[in-house]
Amino acid sequence: MGEHGAGPPSVELPSVEVVRERLDVVRERIRAAGGDPATVEVLAVTKALPVDVVGLAAAVGLTSVGENYAQELVAKADEHEASGGAPVAWHMIGNVQRNKVRQLAGRVALWQTVDRASLVRELAKRDPGASVLIQVNTTGEEQKAGCAPGEVDALVDGARDAGLDVLGLMTVGPTDADAEAAPAFASLREAADRNGLAVRSMGMTADLETAVAEGSTMVRVGRALFGPRPPRQAVRN
């Protein structure tokens, strides 16, 4: 497995049994952090891995899959479908360039990184009624995507007015592993509550406990399920 398909060709993927065991560990981590594994969704992140990993995710019951790059999502979606793989819901969890919206429209079940009015307008034009999350830069790091916390309410209103289905908010924890993540996640929870939004996509392999303790309803996990990613090659956005 992992010798063909979209993504790096030489990655050795774990077996279904190993992925299932790792998923059990992730769910136990959610439980230990005070969350309910039945209500905190685990989004399988397949970034930079071969298309075979999508089948692994589906085989253990993870039918929502997250990709960071438009070209990679399209290639994997096409190959997975052509191979007769179980249906999955594709989430776009990387920065979206406006000129990529057209090729992704109709393929993406949830756009998690909507962070500016121009992207709202493009989505409303190319994928009317699309389900979206508003991405918020809750850490203030300049290199990160996401709208500023003070812009959340206006962007939520604008997306709703444009006919998009705003389900919730998304954020990425601090880049610095030593930084305190709880305030960033608490800020997202408060903004979601203020806008009547149920989904809080926050927390990844390294910081999911903190995110769950602060009210995450969706954690984005790749490494904890499938192992380390291969070295990053050219960005395929």
Side-chain angles (χ1 to χ4, degrees):
M1 186 173 288
E3 294 301 315
H4 65 279
S10 59
V11 178
E12 186 66 30
L13 294 177
S15 66
V16 171
E17 292 73 19
V18 168
V19 175
R20 185 174 289 111
E21 291 170 359
R22 291 174 177 176
L23 177 57
D24 288 342
V25 172
V26 169
R27 286 175 170 156
E28 183 53 41
R29 290 173 63 187
I30 291 170
R31 184 180 294 106
D36 181 355
T39 59
V40 177
E41 181 175 4
V42 177
L43 179 71
V45 177
T46 58
K47 168 186 173 181
L49 293 169
V51 67
D52 300 20
V53 78
V54 180
L56 283 176
V60 300
L62 298 178
T63 55
S64 292
V65 174
E67 273 293 339
N68 287 67
Y69 302 122
Q71 185 175 333
E72 198 169 336
L73 188 155
V74 169
K76 285 181 183 172
D78 285 349
E79 188 167 351
H80 180 69
E81 182 177 354
S83 71
V88 296
W90 293 93
H91 292 211
M92 187 61 185
I93 60 173
N95 182 51
V96 180
Q97 300 172 10
R98 286 178 58 200
N99 64 356
K100 299 295 183 180
V101 170
R102 181 191 293 223
Q103 73 180 105
L104 291 171
R107 299 174 181 269
V108 174
L110 182 60
W111 304 79
Q112 292 212 20
T113 54
V114 178
D115 62 356
R116 58 199 186 278
S118 61
L119 182 54
V120 166
R121 291 192 294 271
E122 190 68 13
L123 282 169
K125 177 181 178 182
R126 304 292 184 187
D127 199 6
S131 296
V132 305
L133 304 183
I134 302 300
Q135 182 177 4
V136 188
N137 184 347
T138 55
T139 65
E141 296 168 81
E142 291 185 2
Q143 76 276 19
K144 278 188 179 177
C147 70
E151 299 171 348
V152 173
D153 296 4
L155 194 53
V156 168
D157 289 344
R160 285 170 167 164
D161 290 344
L164 300 181
D165 186 11
V166 184
L167 302 181
L169 306 179
M170 179 267 216
T171 197
V172 178
T175 302
D176 183 354
D178 295 326
E180 177 56 51
F185 295 144
S187 171
L188 193 86
R189 182 195 68 240
E190 291 162 2
D193 289 347
R194 185 172 66 246
N195 284 279
L197 298 170
V199 178
R200 300 91 173 255
S201 175
M202 56 187 191
M204 298 186 286
T205 291
D207 58 10
L208 69 84
E209 283 90 353
T210 304
V212 169
E214 293 297 337
S216 175
T217 65
M218 181 187 297
V219 292
R220 307 180 300 274
V221 180
R223 182 163 43 89
L225 296 171
F226 310 119
R229 297 186 184 96
R232 184 175 177 180
Q233 299 175 340
V235 173
R236 290 154 293 194
N237 202 27

